[in-house]
Amino acid sequence: MPTLPNLKIKIFADGADPATIAKLRKNPAVKGFTTNPTLMRKAGASDYEKHCRAVLEAAEGASVSLEVFADDPVAIETQARIIAGWGPNVAVKVPVSTTKGEFLGPTIAKLAKSGIALNVTALTTLAQVERVRDALEADVPAIVSVFAGRIADTGRDPMPIMSDAAKALTSRPKAELLWASPREVLNLYQAEAVGCHIITMGADLLSKLDLYGKDLDAYSIETVKMFHSDAVAAGFVLGAGR
């Protein structure tokens, strides 16, 4: 079985199903967890606090990012303070802006000054990274989540942006750069190369980690076998045998 190289980057599992989180907590490659309201909804959450607390219990002390869902600065601050009180391993996810595009720097600054560990999320530009950096406290832990996968979806190469983002955060030694929304396992190695501290990965990508260094000729044959097996299972017939 191929094994992962000695990576410095931490892998956080992306999801909100407590049972899955409990299972992944036993995986030594997974160092923490990230959630968001979309994942919470997919996991069937109806009582937000109850579900978040179930996630925290399943995480057994590992870092968990739990997100606010309000859309005005005052309500966001209130929710952030409530969520921060749910456990010492909580990083409160606060979006970089409201749905109207209002930068939440002042709110981020207030929360950081209070010593609340934040995960500032939904960033896509270096300018946003720099503005968030300036709102953070140098001695308070924080995560800055840049959605590299969404950047790539627009036809832009996220690597230069992520590299510059890592450099921009050096003045905040307790701020960690997170590569969010990866699209393929290759992104793990790219994130490591540009100096990201964390990458989020869903269950689909986590299941492919043991493919590292796999023999490509063997992989080719496995692929051919899969196509042939599925054709046989489907009962496909052409020509004389029809």
Side-chain angles (χ1 to χ4, degrees), residues 8-224:
K8 294 180 181 178
I9 192 169
K10 294 180 289 188
I11 297 173
F12 281 16
D14 210 19
D17 174 58
T20 301
I21 289 170
K23 181 179 179 180
L24 290 173
R25 184 66 178 92
K26 296 176 175 61
N27 184 339
V30 176
K31 306 301 183 184
F33 301 90
T34 56
T35 71
N36 59 50
T38 299
L39 292 172
M40 288 283 185
R41 184 183 181 195
K42 287 181 179 178
S46 54
D47 183 320
Y48 195 73
E49 179 174 351
K50 182 178 179 180
H51 197 95
C52 285
R53 289 188 180 276
V55 166
L56 287 170
E57 183 178 355
E60 296 182 346
S63 176
V64 181
S65 293
L66 301 172
E67 189 163 349
V68 302
F69 50 84
D71 192 39
D72 70 85
V74 174
I76 286 172
E77 181 181 348
T78 298
Q79 288 188 354
R81 294 184 185 280
I82 292 171
I83 293 171
W86 292 346
N89 56 323
V90 172
V92 182
K93 288 184 82 171
V94 174
V96 65
S97 72
T98 67
T99 59
K100 294 180 180 178
E102 178 185 358
F103 177 59
L104 287 169
T107 303
I108 293 166
K110 278 186 187 179
L111 294 169
K113 279 185 172 62
S114 297
I116 293 175
L118 298 174
N119 180 337
V120 186
T121 190
L123 286 75
T124 54
T125 70
L126 180 60
Q128 288 176 325
V129 172
E130 292 170 339
R131 294 183 76 186
V132 167
R133 172 202 62 200
D134 293 343
L136 295 173
E137 293 290 312
D139 60 348
V140 177
I143 297 171
V144 180
S145 294
V146 180
F147 279 58
R150 296 200 176 208
I151 294 171
D153 288 343
T154 71
R156 297 173 175 88
D157 182 0
M159 292 284 282
I161 295 174
M162 300 305 288
S163 178
D164 289 342
K167 294 171 186 173
L169 290 176
T170 56
S171 63
R172 295 293 183 271
K174 291 201 173 181
E176 296 182 290
L177 178 63
L178 184 150
W179 180 301
S181 69
R183 300 306 193 228
E184 55 190 352
V185 176
L186 176 62
N187 297 153
L188 168 63
Y189 309 109
Q190 292 174 321
E192 167 86 356
V194 298
C196 291
H197 304 91
I198 307 169
I199 185 170
T200 55
M201 302 186 83
D204 57 334
L205 294 185
L206 288 169
S207 68
K208 297 179 180 180
L209 291 181
D210 62 2
L211 292 173
Y212 175 76
K214 185 178 179 69
D215 181 87
L216 294 180
D217 287 320
Y219 210 2
S220 173
I221 293 171
E222 286 180 15
T223 305
V224 173

